[in-house]
Coordinates of all heavy atoms in Angstrom, one line a residue:
A1 N 100.1 104.8 77.7 CA 101.2 105.7 78.0 C 101.3 106.0 79.5 O 100.3 105.9 80.2 CB 101.0 107.1 77.2
I2 N 102.5 106.4 79.9 CA 102.7 106.8 81.3 C 101.8 107.9 81.7 O 101.6 108.9 80.9 CB 104.2 107.1 81.6 CG1 104.5 107.3 83.0 CG2 104.6 108.3 80.7 CD1 105.9 107.4 83.4
D3 N 101.3 107.9 82.9 CA 100.5 109.0 83.5 C 101.4 110.1 83.9 O 102.2 110.0 84.8 CB 99.7 108.4 84.7 CG 98.9 109.5 85.4 OD1 98.9 110.7 84.9 OD2 98.4 109.2 86.5
P4 N 101.3 111.3 83.2 CA 102.2 112.4 83.6 C 101.9 112.9 85.0 O 102.7 113.7 85.6 CB 101.9 113.5 82.5 CG 100.5 113.1 81.9 CD 100.4 111.6 82.1
N5 N 100.7 112.6 85.6 CA 100.4 113.1 86.9 C 100.6 111.9 87.9 O 100.0 111.9 89.0 CB 99.0 113.6 87.0 CG 98.8 114.7 86.1 OD1 99.6 115.7 86.1 ND2 97.7 114.7 85.3
F6 N 101.5 111.0 87.6 CA 101.8 109.9 88.5 C 102.1 110.3 89.9 O 101.8 109.6 90.9 CB 102.9 109.0 87.9 CG 104.2 109.6 88.0 CD1 105.1 109.5 89.1 CD2 104.7 110.4 86.9 CE1 106.3 110.0 89.1 CE2 105.9 111.0 86.9 CZ 106.7 110.8 88.0
D7 N 102.8 111.5 90.1 CA 103.3 111.9 91.4 C 102.1 112.3 92.3 O 102.2 112.3 93.5 CB 104.3 112.9 91.3 CG 103.9 114.1 90.4 OD1 103.0 114.0 89.6 OD2 104.5 115.2 90.6
Q8 N 100.9 112.6 91.6 CA 99.7 112.9 92.4 C 98.9 111.7 92.6 O 98.1 111.5 93.5 CB 98.9 114.0 91.7 CG 99.6 115.4 91.8 CD 99.3 116.2 90.6 OE1 98.2 116.3 90.1 NE2 100.3 116.8 90.1
N9 N 98.9 110.8 91.5 CA 98.0 109.7 91.5 C 98.5 108.4 92.1 O 97.8 107.4 92.3 CB 97.6 109.4 90.1 CG 96.8 110.5 89.4 OD1 96.2 111.3 90.2 ND2 96.9 110.7 88.1
R10 N 99.8 108.3 92.4 CA 100.4 107.1 93.0 C 101.1 107.5 94.3 O 101.4 108.6 94.5 CB 101.4 106.5 92.0 CG 100.8 106.0 90.7 CD 101.8 105.5 89.8 NE 101.2 104.9 88.5 CZ 101.6 103.8 88.1 NH1 102.5 103.0 88.7 NH2 101.0 103.3 86.9
D11 N 101.4 106.4 95.0 CA 102.2 106.6 96.3 C 103.6 106.1 96.1 O 103.9 105.1 95.4 CB 101.6 105.8 97.4 CG 100.2 106.2 97.7 OD1 100.0 107.5 97.7 OD2 99.3 105.4 98.0
R12 N 104.6 106.8 96.8 CA 105.9 106.3 96.8 C 106.0 105.0 97.6 O 105.5 105.0 98.8 CB 106.8 107.3 97.5 CG 107.1 108.6 96.8 CD 107.8 109.6 97.8 NE 107.7 110.9 97.2 CZ 108.7 111.5 96.6 NH1 109.9 110.9 96.4 NH2 108.6 112.7 96.1
V13 N 106.5 104.0 97.1 CA 106.5 102.7 97.8 C 108.0 102.3 98.2 O 108.1 101.2 98.8 CB 105.8 101.6 97.1 CG1 104.3 102.0 97.0 CG2 106.4 101.4 95.7
G14 N 108.9 103.0 97.7 CA 110.3 102.6 98.0 C 111.3 103.2 97.1 O 111.0 104.2 96.4
E15 N 112.5 102.6 97.1 CA 113.6 103.1 96.3 C 114.4 101.9 95.8 O 114.6 100.9 96.5 CB 114.5 104.0 97.2 CG 115.4 104.9 96.4 CD 116.2 105.8 97.3 OE1 115.6 106.8 97.8 OE2 117.3 105.5 97.6
E16 N 114.8 102.0 94.5 CA 115.7 101.0 94.0 C 116.8 101.6 93.2 O 116.5 102.5 92.4 CB 114.9 100.0 93.0 CG 114.3 98.8 93.7 CD 113.5 97.9 92.8 OE1 113.9 97.6 91.7 OE2 112.4 97.6 93.2
N17 N 118.0 101.2 93.4 CA 119.2 101.8 92.7 C 119.2 103.3 92.9 O 119.6 104.0 91.9 CB 119.2 101.4 91.2 CG 119.0 99.9 91.0 OD1 119.8 99.1 91.5 ND2 118.0 99.5 90.3
G18 N 118.8 103.8 94.0 CA 118.8 105.2 94.3 C 117.7 106.0 93.6 O 117.7 107.2 93.7
V19 N 116.7 105.3 93.0 CA 115.6 105.9 92.3 C 114.3 105.6 93.0 O 114.0 104.5 93.5 CB 115.6 105.3 90.9 CG1 114.3 105.8 90.1 CG2 116.8 105.7 90.1
T20 N 113.4 106.6 93.2 CA 112.1 106.4 93.8 C 111.2 105.5 93.0 O 111.2 105.6 91.8 CB 111.5 107.8 94.0 OG1 112.3 108.6 94.8 CG2 110.1 107.7 94.6
V21 N 110.5 104.6 93.7 CA 109.5 103.8 93.0 C 108.1 104.2 93.4 O 107.9 104.4 94.6 CB 109.8 102.3 93.3 CG1 108.7 101.4 92.7 CG2 111.2 101.9 92.9
W22 N 107.2 104.4 92.4 CA 105.9 104.7 92.7 C 105.0 103.5 92.4 O 105.0 103.0 91.3 CB 105.5 105.9 91.7 CG 106.3 107.1 91.9 CD1 107.6 107.3 91.3 CD2 106.0 108.3 92.6 NE1 108.1 108.5 91.7 CE2 107.1 109.2 92.5 CE3 104.9 108.7 93.4 CZ2 107.2 110.4 93.1 CZ3 105.0 109.9 94.0 CH2 106.1 110.8 93.9
G23 N 104.2 103.1 93.3 CA 103.4 101.9 93.2 C 102.1 102.1 92.3 O 101.9 103.1 91.8
P24 N 101.3 101.0 92.3 CA 101.5 99.8 93.0 C 102.5 98.8 92.4 O 102.7 98.8 91.2 CB 100.1 99.2 92.9 CG 99.5 99.7 91.7 CD 100.1 101.1 91.5
V25 N 103.1 98.1 93.3 CA 104.1 97.1 92.9 C 103.7 95.7 93.4 O 103.3 95.6 94.6 CB 105.5 97.4 93.5 CG1 106.5 96.3 93.3 CG2 106.1 98.7 92.8
D26 N 103.7 94.7 92.6 CA 103.4 93.4 92.9 C 104.3 92.5 92.1 O 104.0 92.1 91.0 CB 101.9 93.0 92.7 CG 101.6 91.6 93.1 OD1 102.3 91.0 93.9 OD2 100.5 91.2 92.7
E27 N 105.6 92.3 92.6 CA 106.6 91.6 91.8 C 106.3 90.2 91.6 O 105.7 89.5 92.5 CB 108.0 91.7 92.6 CG 108.5 93.2 92.6 CD 109.8 93.3 93.4 OE1 110.3 92.3 93.9 OE2 110.3 94.4 93.5
P28 N 106.7 89.6 90.4 CA 107.4 90.3 89.4 C 106.5 90.8 88.3 O 107.1 91.5 87.4 CB 108.2 89.1 88.8 CG 107.3 87.9 88.9 CD 106.5 88.1 90.2
E29 N 105.2 90.7 88.4 CA 104.4 91.1 87.3 C 104.1 92.6 87.2 O 103.9 93.2 86.1 CB 103.0 90.4 87.3 CG 103.0 88.9 87.2 CD 103.2 88.2 88.6 OE1 103.3 88.9 89.6 OE2 103.3 87.0 88.6
Q30 N 104.1 93.3 88.4 CA 103.8 94.7 88.4 C 104.9 95.5 89.1 O 105.1 95.2 90.3 CB 102.4 94.9 89.1 CG 101.8 96.3 89.0 CD 100.4 96.4 89.6 OE1 100.1 95.7 90.5 NE2 99.7 97.4 89.1
L31 N 105.5 96.4 88.4 CA 106.7 97.0 88.9 C 106.6 98.5 89.2 O 107.5 99.1 89.7 CB 107.9 96.7 88.0 CG 108.2 95.2 87.9 CD1 109.3 95.0 86.8 CD2 108.6 94.6 89.2
G32 N 105.5 99.1 88.7 CA 105.3 100.5 89.0 C 106.1 101.5 88.2 O 106.6 101.1 87.1
I33 N 106.3 102.7 88.6 CA 107.0 103.7 87.9 C 108.3 104.0 88.7 O 108.3 104.2 89.9 CB 106.2 105.0 87.8 CG1 105.0 104.8 86.7 CG2 107.0 106.2 87.3 CD1 104.1 106.0 86.6
H34 N 109.4 104.1 87.9 CA 110.7 104.3 88.5 C 111.2 105.7 88.1 O 111.3 106.0 86.9 CB 111.7 103.3 88.1 CG 111.6 101.9 88.7 ND1 112.7 101.2 89.2 CD2 110.5 101.2 89.0 CE1 112.3 100.1 89.7 NE2 110.9 100.0 89.6
G35 N 111.6 106.5 89.1 CA 112.1 107.8 88.9 C 111.0 108.9 89.1 O 109.8 108.6 89.1
T36 N 111.5 110.2 89.2 CA 110.6 111.3 89.4 C 110.8 112.4 88.4 O 109.8 112.6 87.6 CB 110.8 111.8 90.8 OG1 110.6 110.8 91.8 CG2 109.8 112.9 91.1
H37 N 111.9 113.0 88.3 CA 112.1 113.9 87.2 C 112.1 113.2 85.9 O 111.5 113.7 84.9 CB 113.4 114.7 87.4 CG 113.6 115.7 86.3 ND1 113.0 116.9 86.3 CD2 114.4 115.7 85.2 CE1 113.3 117.6 85.2 NE2 114.2 116.9 84.5
V38 N 112.9 112.1 85.8 CA 112.8 111.2 84.6 C 112.1 110.0 85.1 O 112.7 109.2 85.9 CB 114.2 110.9 84.1 CG1 114.1 109.9 82.9 CG2 114.9 112.2 83.7
A39 N 110.9 109.7 84.6 CA 110.1 108.6 85.2 C 109.8 107.6 84.0 O 109.4 108.0 82.9 CB 108.8 109.1 85.7
V40 N 110.1 106.3 84.4 CA 109.8 105.2 83.4 C 108.8 104.3 84.0 O 108.9 103.8 85.1 CB 111.1 104.4 83.2 CG1 110.9 103.3 82.2 CG2 112.3 105.3 82.8
D41 N 107.7 104.1 83.2 CA 106.7 103.2 83.7 C 107.1 101.8 83.3 O 107.1 101.4 82.1 CB 105.3 103.5 83.0 CG 104.2 102.8 83.7 OD1 104.4 101.6 84.1 OD2 103.1 103.3 83.8
Y42 N 107.5 101.0 84.3 CA 108.1 99.7 84.1 C 107.0 98.7 83.6 O 107.3 97.7 83.0 CB 108.7 99.2 85.4 CG 110.1 99.5 85.6 CD1 110.7 100.7 85.1 CD2 111.0 98.7 86.3 CE1 112.0 101.0 85.3 CE2 112.3 99.0 86.5 CZ 112.8 100.1 85.9 OH 114.2 100.4 86.1
D43 N 105.7 99.0 83.8 CA 104.7 98.2 83.4 C 104.3 98.4 81.9 O 103.5 97.7 81.3 CB 103.5 98.3 84.3 CG 103.9 97.8 85.7 OD1 104.5 96.7 85.8 OD2 103.6 98.5 86.7
I44 N 104.9 99.5 81.3 CA 104.7 99.8 79.9 C 106.0 99.5 79.1 O 105.9 99.0 77.9 CB 104.3 101.3 79.7 CG1 102.9 101.5 80.4 CG2 104.2 101.6 78.3 CD1 102.5 103.0 80.4
C45 N 107.2 99.7 79.7 CA 108.4 99.6 79.0 C 108.6 98.1 78.4 O 108.3 97.2 79.1 CB 109.6 99.8 79.9 SG 111.2 99.5 79.3
V46 N 109.0 98.1 77.1 CA 109.2 96.8 76.4 C 110.7 96.6 76.1 O 111.1 95.8 75.3 CB 108.4 96.7 75.1 CG1 106.9 96.6 75.5 CG2 108.7 97.8 74.2
A47 N 111.6 97.4 76.8 CA 113.0 97.2 76.6 C 113.5 97.5 75.2 O 114.5 96.9 74.7 CB 113.5 95.9 77.1
D48 N 112.9 98.5 74.6 CA 113.3 98.9 73.2 C 114.8 99.4 73.2 O 115.5 99.1 72.3 CB 112.4 100.0 72.7 CG 112.8 100.6 71.4 OD1 112.4 100.0 70.4 OD2 113.5 101.6 71.4
G49 N 115.1 100.2 74.3 CA 116.5 100.6 74.4 C 116.9 101.9 73.7 O 118.0 102.5 73.9
A50 N 116.0 102.5 72.9 CA 116.3 103.7 72.2 C 116.6 104.9 73.2 O 117.4 105.8 72.9 CB 115.2 104.1 71.3
C51 N 115.9 104.9 74.3 CA 116.1 106.0 75.3 C 117.5 105.9 75.8 O 118.3 106.9 75.8 CB 115.1 105.8 76.4 SG 115.2 104.2 77.2
L52 N 117.9 104.7 76.2 CA 119.3 104.5 76.8 C 120.4 104.8 75.8 O 121.4 105.5 76.1 CB 119.4 103.1 77.3 CG 120.7 102.7 78.0 CD1 120.4 101.7 79.1 CD2 121.6 102.0 77.0
E53 N 120.2 104.3 74.5 CA 121.2 104.5 73.5 C 121.3 105.9 73.1 O 122.4 106.3 72.6 CB 120.8 103.6 72.3 CG 121.1 102.1 72.6 CD 120.3 101.2 71.6 OE1 119.9 101.7 70.5 OE2 120.0 100.1 71.9
N54 N 120.3 106.7 73.2 CA 120.3 108.1 72.6 C 120.4 109.2 73.6 O 120.6 110.4 73.2 CB 119.1 108.2 71.7 CG 119.2 107.4 70.4 OD1 120.0 107.7 69.5 ND2 118.5 106.3 70.4
C55 N 120.2 108.9 74.9 CA 120.2 110.0 75.9 C 121.6 110.7 75.8 O 122.6 110.0 76.0 CB 119.9 109.5 77.2 SG 120.2 110.8 78.5
P56 N 121.7 112.0 75.6 CA 123.0 112.7 75.4 C 123.8 112.7 76.7 O 125.0 112.9 76.7 CB 122.6 114.1 75.0 CG 121.2 114.3 75.4 CD 120.6 112.9 75.4
V57 N 123.2 112.5 77.9 CA 123.9 112.6 79.1 C 123.8 111.3 79.9 O 124.2 111.2 81.1 CB 123.4 113.8 80.0 CG1 123.8 115.1 79.4 CG2 121.9 113.7 80.2
D58 N 123.4 110.2 79.2 CA 123.6 108.8 79.8 C 122.9 108.6 81.1 O 123.4 108.2 82.1 CB 125.1 108.6 80.0 CG 125.5 107.1 79.8 OD1 124.6 106.3 79.4 OD2 126.6 106.8 80.1
V59 N 121.6 109.0 81.1 CA 120.8 108.9 82.3 C 120.4 107.5 82.7 O 120.4 107.2 83.9 CB 119.5 109.8 82.2 CG1 118.4 109.4 83.2 CG2 119.8 111.3 82.3
F60 N 120.3 106.6 81.7 CA 119.7 105.3 82.0 C 120.7 104.2 82.1 O 121.8 104.2 81.5 CB 118.7 104.9 80.8 CG 117.7 106.0 80.6 CD1 117.8 106.9 79.6 CD2 116.5 106.0 81.4 CE1 116.8 107.8 79.4 CE2 115.5 106.9 81.2 CZ 115.6 107.9 80.2
T61 N 120.3 103.2 82.9 CA 121.1 101.9 83.1 C 120.1 100.8 83.0 O 119.0 100.8 83.5 CB 121.6 101.9 84.6 OG1 122.3 103.1 84.8 CG2 122.6 100.7 84.8
W62 N 120.6 99.7 82.3 CA 119.7 98.5 82.2 C 119.6 97.8 83.6 O 120.6 97.7 84.3 CB 120.3 97.5 81.2 CG 120.1 97.8 79.8 CD1 121.1 98.1 78.9 CD2 118.9 98.0 79.0 NE1 120.6 98.4 77.6 CE2 119.2 98.3 77.7 CE3 117.6 97.8 79.4 CZ2 118.3 98.5 76.7 CZ3 116.6 98.0 78.4 CH2 117.0 98.3 77.1
V63 N 118.5 97.3 83.9 CA 118.3 96.4 85.1 C 117.5 95.2 84.6 O 116.7 95.3 83.7 CB 117.6 97.1 86.2 CG1 118.4 98.3 86.8 CG2 116.2 97.6 85.8
D64 N 117.7 94.1 85.3 CA 117.0 92.9 84.9 C 115.6 92.8 85.7 O 115.6 93.1 86.9 CB 117.8 91.6 85.3 CG 119.0 91.5 84.4 OD1 118.9 91.9 83.2 OD2 120.1 91.0 84.9
T65 N 114.6 92.4 85.0 CA 113.3 92.3 85.6 C 112.6 91.0 85.2 O 111.6 90.9 84.5 CB 112.3 93.5 85.2 OG1 112.3 93.5 83.7 CG2 112.8 94.8 85.7
P66 N 113.3 89.9 85.6 CA 112.8 88.5 85.2 C 111.4 88.3 85.7 O 111.0 88.7 86.8 CB 113.8 87.6 85.9 CG 114.4 88.4 87.0 CD 114.4 89.8 86.6
G67 N 110.6 87.8 84.7 CA 109.2 87.4 85.1 C 108.2 88.6 84.8 O 107.0 88.4 84.9
H68 N 108.7 89.7 84.3 CA 107.7 90.8 84.0 C 107.1 90.5 82.6 O 107.9 90.1 81.6 CB 108.4 92.2 84.0 CG 107.3 93.2 83.8 ND1 106.9 93.7 82.6 CD2 106.6 93.9 84.8 CE1 105.9 94.6 82.8 NE2 105.8 94.8 84.1
P69 N 105.8 90.6 82.4 CA 105.2 90.2 81.2 C 105.6 91.0 79.9 O 105.6 90.5 78.8 CB 103.7 90.3 81.5 CG 103.6 91.1 82.7 CD 104.8 90.9 83.5
K70 N 106.0 92.2 80.1 CA 106.3 93.1 78.9 C 107.7 92.9 78.5 O 108.0 93.0 77.3 CB 106.0 94.6 79.2 CG 104.5 94.9 79.4 CD 103.9 95.1 78.0 CE 102.3 95.2 78.2 NZ 101.9 96.3 78.9
S71 N 108.7 92.7 79.4 CA 110.1 92.6 79.1 C 110.9 92.2 80.3 O 110.5 92.6 81.4 CB 110.7 93.8 78.4 OG 110.6 94.9 79.3
E72 N 112.0 91.5 80.1 CA 112.8 91.0 81.2 C 114.0 92.0 81.5 O 114.9 91.6 82.3 CB 113.2 89.6 81.0 CG 112.0 88.7 80.8 CD 112.1 87.3 81.4 OE1 113.2 86.7 81.3 OE2 111.1 86.8 81.9
E73 N 114.0 93.1 80.9 CA 114.9 94.2 81.2 C 114.1 95.5 81.2 O 113.2 95.6 80.5 CB 116.0 94.3 80.2 CG 117.1 93.3 80.3 CD 118.2 93.6 79.2 OE1 117.8 93.6 78.0 OE2 119.3 93.8 79.6
K74 N 114.6 96.5 82.0 CA 114.0 97.8 82.0 C 115.2 98.8 82.1 O 116.3 98.4 82.4 CB 113.1 98.0 83.2 CG 112.0 97.0 83.3 CD 110.9 97.0 82.3 CE 109.9 95.8 82.5 NZ 108.9 95.8 81.4
V75 N 114.8 100.1 81.9 CA 115.9 101.1 82.0 C 115.6 101.9 83.3 O 114.5 102.4 83.6 CB 115.9 102.1 80.9 CG1 116.5 101.4 79.7 CG2 114.6 102.7 80.5
E76 N 116.6 101.9 84.2 CA 116.5 102.7 85.4 C 117.1 104.1 85.2 O 118.3 104.2 84.7 CB 117.4 101.9 86.5 CG 117.1 102.4 87.9 CD 115.9 101.8 88.6 OE1 114.8 102.2 88.2 OE2 116.1 100.8 89.3
P77 N 116.4 105.1 85.6 CA 117.0 106.5 85.4 C 117.9 106.8 86.5 O 117.7 107.8 87.3 CB 115.7 107.4 85.3 CG 114.7 106.7 86.2 CD 115.0 105.2 86.0
T78 N 119.0 106.1 86.6 CA 119.9 106.2 87.8 C 120.6 107.6 87.8 O 121.0 108.0 88.9 CB 121.0 105.1 87.7 OG1 121.5 105.1 86.4 CG2 120.4 103.7 88.1
R79 N 120.7 108.3 86.7 CA 121.4 109.6 86.7 C 120.4 110.6 86.3 O 120.7 111.5 85.5 CB 122.6 109.5 85.8 CG 123.8 108.7 86.4 CD 124.9 108.5 85.4 NE 124.6 107.7 84.3 CZ 124.6 106.4 84.3 NH1 125.1 105.7 85.4 NH2 124.3 105.7 83.2
E80 N 119.2 110.5 86.8 CA 118.1 111.5 86.4 C 118.5 112.9 86.8 O 118.0 113.9 86.1 CB 116.7 111.1 87.0 CG 116.6 111.1 88.5 CD 115.2 110.7 89.0 OE1 114.2 111.0 88.3 OE2 115.1 110.1 90.1
S81 N 119.3 113.1 87.8 CA 119.7 114.5 88.2 C 120.6 115.2 87.1 O 120.7 116.4 87.0 CB 120.5 114.5 89.5 OG 121.7 113.8 89.3
Q82 N 121.1 114.3 86.1 CA 121.9 114.9 85.0 C 121.1 115.3 83.8 O 121.6 115.9 82.9 CB 122.9 113.8 84.5 CG 123.7 113.1 85.5 CD 124.8 114.0 86.0 OE1 125.6 114.5 85.2 NE2 124.9 114.1 87.3
C83 N 119.8 115.0 83.9 CA 118.9 115.2 82.7 C 118.9 116.7 82.3 O 118.8 117.6 83.2 CB 117.5 114.8 83.1 SG 116.3 115.1 81.8
I84 N 119.0 116.9 81.0 CA 119.0 118.3 80.5 C 117.7 118.7 79.8 O 117.6 119.6 79.1 CB 120.2 118.5 79.5 CG1 120.2 117.5 78.4 CG2 121.5 118.5 80.3 CD1 121.2 117.8 77.2
D85 N 116.7 117.8 80.0 CA 115.3 118.1 79.5 C 115.2 118.2 78.0 O 114.5 119.0 77.5 CB 114.7 119.3 80.2 CG 114.6 119.2 81.7 OD1 114.7 118.1 82.2 OD2 114.5 120.3 82.4
C86 N 116.0 117.4 77.3 CA 116.0 117.5 75.8 C 114.8 116.9 75.3 O 114.4 117.1 74.1 CB 117.3 116.9 75.2 SG 117.3 115.1 75.3
M87 N 114.1 116.0 76.0 CA 112.9 115.3 75.7 C 113.0 114.2 74.6 O 112.1 113.7 74.1 CB 111.8 116.3 75.2 CG 111.4 117.3 76.3 SD 110.7 116.4 77.7 CE 110.7 117.6 79.0
L88 N 114.3 113.9 74.2 CA 114.5 112.9 73.2 C 113.9 111.6 73.6 O 113.3 110.9 72.8 CB 116.0 112.8 73.0 CG 116.5 111.9 71.9 CD1 117.8 112.4 71.3 CD2 116.7 110.4 72.4
C89 N 114.2 111.2 74.9 CA 113.7 109.9 75.3 C 112.2 109.8 75.3 O 111.6 108.8 74.9 CB 114.2 109.5 76.7 SG 113.7 110.7 78.0
V90 N 111.5 110.9 75.7 CA 110.0 110.9 75.7 C 109.5 110.8 74.3 O 108.6 110.0 74.0 CB 109.6 112.3 76.3 CG1 108.1 112.5 76.1 CG2 110.0 112.4 77.7
D91 N 110.2 111.4 73.3 CA 109.7 111.4 71.9 C 110.0 110.1 71.2 O 109.3 109.6 70.3 CB 110.4 112.5 71.1 CG 109.9 113.9 71.6 OD1 108.8 114.0 72.2 OD2 110.6 114.9 71.4
I92 N 111.1 109.4 71.6 CA 111.6 108.3 70.9 C 111.0 106.9 71.4 O 111.0 106.0 70.6 CB 113.2 108.2 70.9 CG1 113.8 107.5 69.7 CG2 113.7 107.6 72.2 CD1 115.3 107.6 69.6
C93 N 110.6 106.9 72.6 CA 110.1 105.6 73.2 C 108.8 105.2 72.4 O 107.8 105.9 72.3 CB 109.7 105.8 74.6 SG 109.0 104.2 75.3
P94 N 108.9 104.0 71.8 CA 107.8 103.5 70.9 C 106.5 103.3 71.7 O 105.4 103.2 71.1 CB 108.3 102.2 70.3 CG 109.3 101.7 71.2 CD 109.9 103.0 71.9
V95 N 106.5 103.1 73.0 CA 105.4 102.8 73.8 C 105.0 103.9 74.8 O 104.2 103.7 75.7 CB 105.5 101.4 74.5 CG1 105.5 100.3 73.5 CG2 106.8 101.3 75.3
D96 N 105.6 105.0 74.7 CA 105.4 106.2 75.6 C 105.5 105.8 77.1 O 104.6 106.1 77.9 CB 104.0 106.8 75.3 CG 103.9 107.5 74.0 OD1 105.0 108.0 73.6 OD2 102.8 107.6 73.4
A97 N 106.6 105.2 77.4 CA 106.8 104.7 78.8 C 107.5 105.8 79.7 O 107.6 105.6 80.9 CB 107.6 103.4 78.8
I98 N 107.9 106.9 79.1 CA 108.7 107.9 79.8 C 108.1 109.2 79.9 O 107.5 109.7 78.9 CB 110.1 108.0 79.1 CG1 110.8 106.7 79.0 CG2 111.0 109.0 80.0 CD1 112.2 106.8 78.3
D99 N 108.1 109.8 81.1 CA 107.7 111.2 81.3 C 108.9 112.0 81.9 O 109.5 111.5 82.8 CB 106.5 111.2 82.3 CG 106.1 112.6 82.6 OD1 105.6 113.3 81.6 OD2 106.2 113.1 83.7
V100 N 109.2 113.1 81.3 CA 110.2 114.0 81.8 C 109.5 115.3 82.2 O 108.8 115.9 81.4 CB 111.4 114.2 80.8 CG1 112.3 115.3 81.4 CG2 112.1 112.9 80.6
D101 N 109.7 115.7 83.5 CA 109.0 116.9 84.0 C 109.9 118.1 83.7 O 110.5 118.7 84.6 CB 108.8 116.7 85.5 CG 107.9 117.8 86.0 OD1 107.2 118.5 85.1 OD2 107.8 118.0 87.2
G102 N 109.9 118.5 82.4 CA 110.8 119.6 82.0 C 110.2 120.9 82.0 O 110.8 121.9 81.8
S103 N 108.9 121.0 82.2 CA 108.2 122.2 82.1 C 107.8 122.8 83.5 O 107.8 122.0 84.4 CB 106.9 122.1 81.2 OG 106.1 121.0 81.7
Ligands
LIG201 FE1 118.2 112.0 78.6 FE2 117.0 114.0 77.3 FE3 115.6 112.0 78.3 FE4 116.7 113.8 80.0 S1 115.1 114.2 78.5 S2 116.7 111.6 80.2 S3 118.6 114.2 78.9 S4 117.1 111.8 76.7
LIG202 FE1 111.7 101.1 77.5 FE2 110.9 102.9 75.9 FE3 113.3 103.0 76.7 S1 110.4 100.8 75.8 S2 113.8 100.9 77.1 S3 111.5 103.2 78.0 S4 112.6 103.5 74.7

């Protein structure tokens, strides 16, 4: 599962699609965590899609991640500022790849 303390345990290594990336990153096999308020561990995500399909405020966007061992698509939390902390995505993800800092 995603480390809920990633913001203390990892370093910011850049930004993609307007979203902060937390390392380590070693493309294409290791992609780190994308997002801060809504954070997706790209190295855990298997592109299930339930988060994107069910988020009531449409926070996520598909991005291509060719060559990643878990899946060749991931969800970018491009509209994380819209998040209403409903926790649906956290609860629904089958591999616990998402952390929302709602508390
Ligand atoms: Fe969307 Fe709710 Fe997840 Fe926020 S917590 S990203 S509003 S599903
Ligand atoms: Fe990935 Fe989980 Fe969403 S596997 S696509 S973060 S439901």
